[in-house]
């Protein structure tokens, strides 16, 4: 499933959704990639300041990849538009 990500919060929600689809706990996602449970939780809650290395390890843990493409106009909630 593809999803447009427009903020740390939407990224966190997408990662959490994928983790739940795979029926994995936060520990099960993080442990093999040396990400502690509190960090997984923080990312899923949309906390800013996540290191790129940590984000890529979490993507790998969930068998996901990042795609960069030109932005299409989308309607966002006030304050979510970057």
């Amino acid at each position: 499933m593809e999803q447009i990500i427009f903020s740390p919060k939407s990224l966190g929600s997408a990662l959490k959704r994928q983790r739940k689809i795979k029926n994995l706990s936060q520990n099960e996602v993080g442990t093999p990639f040396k990400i502690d449970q509190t960090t997984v939780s923080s990312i899923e809650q949309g906390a800013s300041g996540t290191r790129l290395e940590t984000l890529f390890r979490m993507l790998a843990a969930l068998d996901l990849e990042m795609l960069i493409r030109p932005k299409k106009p989308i309607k966002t909630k006030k304050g979510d538009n970057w």
Side-chain angles (χ1 to χ4, degrees), residues 21 34 38 41 49 51 60 77 82:
I21 287 170
K34 298 183 181 176
T38 57
S41 176
R51 291 177 42 178
K77 293 184 230 172
W82 292 76

Side-chain angles (χ1 to χ4, degrees), residues 39-79:
T39 301
V40 173
S41 176
S42 179
I43 293 168
E44 288 183 352
Q45 291 175 28
S48 60
T50 300
R51 291 177 42 178
L52 286 175
E53 178 183 341
T54 305
L55 173 60
F56 280 106
R57 284 190 281 144
M58 190 152 168
L59 290 170
L62 293 168
D63 292 324
L64 299 172
E65 62 186 2
M66 185 182 298
L67 173 67
I68 304 296
R69 67 176 186 205
K71 183 178 179 180
K72 296 178 183 176
I74 59 169
K75 195 171 194 172
T76 61
K77 293 184 230 172
K78 187 176 181 177

